[in-house]
Amino acid sequence: MGDHKERMLSGQLYKDDDPELVAERKRCGALLDRFNATRSDEDDVRQEILKDLLGALGTGSWVMPRFQCDYGYLIRIGDNSFLNYDAILMDCAPITIGNDVSIGPRAQLLTALHPMEDHQARRERWETAAPIIVGDNVWMGGGVIVCPGVTIGSETVVGAGSVVTKDLP
């Protein structure tokens, strides 16, 4: 594992133009291209692609296209969970989605952070990432945005259009 990937996974400043990270995003992009090009009757094909792409995909879980992510292997989805159309999961840090979770269309789970106070570091394209955890039996309405480092507790409902910047019980 290269230095920048190790830094990314440990929450330290890293550069996303590192060749190892670029290659991993290209592999992910190729799998997403295949996934997003499937026909509506190709559920088995979609599931096989997701098994190659994601870190874990629980029994009975499914994802609708169009789906986008950065790496794929940092995403773990529990059993009987559902991601609706146009989900964007920026998985520069782990994203863990529990069992029986329903995520509405155009939801965004975003782990990437850019330096806010250090303007030069931001110009130089340094970034960090913080994990997102979604507990069991969570329902998120359409257009929800979950910010880096947030944990959403089990049994929580997040209304459509919400921007979640802090942990929810």
Side-chain angles (χ1 to χ4, degrees), residues 6 10 28 50 57 61 69 83 85 100 108 112 121 154 156-157:
E6 187 175 323
S10 66
C28 178
L50 289 173
L57 181 65
S61 291
C69 60
L83 276 70
Y85 300 107
D100 305 302
Q108 301 175 49
S154 294
T156 299
V157 174

Side-chain angles (χ1 to χ4, degrees), residues 15-157:
K15 288 199 172 185
D16 70 349
D17 64 353
D18 174 74
E20 179 181 18
L21 296 176
V22 170
E24 288 185 356
R25 287 194 306 275
K26 285 183 179 180
R27 175 195 177 275
C28 178
L31 289 168
L32 288 169
D33 288 344
R34 287 181 45 220
F35 177 83
N36 290 321
T38 57
R39 294 187 322 263
S40 61
D41 63 347
E42 294 183 307
D43 294 332
D44 292 343
V45 173
R46 288 181 185 164
Q47 290 301 97
E48 287 305 313
I49 295 168
L50 289 173
K51 287 178 184 174
D52 288 343
L53 175 66
L54 302 177
L57 181 65
T59 304
S61 291
W62 72 105
V63 177
M64 298 298 294
R66 179 138 185 104
F67 175 57
Q68 294 295 301
C69 60
D70 288 320
Y71 300 96
Y73 63 85
L74 292 172
I75 299 168
R76 304 182 67 78
I77 301 174
D79 296 335
N80 195 39
S81 290
F82 172 65
L83 276 70
N84 211 323
Y85 300 107
D86 296 326
I88 299 173
L89 277 62
M90 289 186 96
D91 60 322
C92 304
I95 296 175
T96 305
I97 297 171
N99 300 320
D100 305 302
V101 173
S102 293
I103 297 178
R106 298 209 168 137
Q108 301 175 49
L109 281 65
L110 312 172
T111 66
L113 289 160
H114 300 275
M116 290 184 233
E117 302 299 325
D118 188 339
H119 305 293
Q120 186 59 35
R122 192 169 59 244
R123 271 189 209 94
E124 294 172 2
R125 309 273 312 149
W126 287 96
E127 63 184 73
T128 60
I132 292 173
I133 299 170
V134 178
D136 295 336
N137 200 31
V138 168
W139 177 58
M140 292 185 212
V144 167
I145 299 173
V146 180
C147 292
V150 167
T151 295
I152 298 175
S154 294
E155 313 297 334
T156 299
V157 174

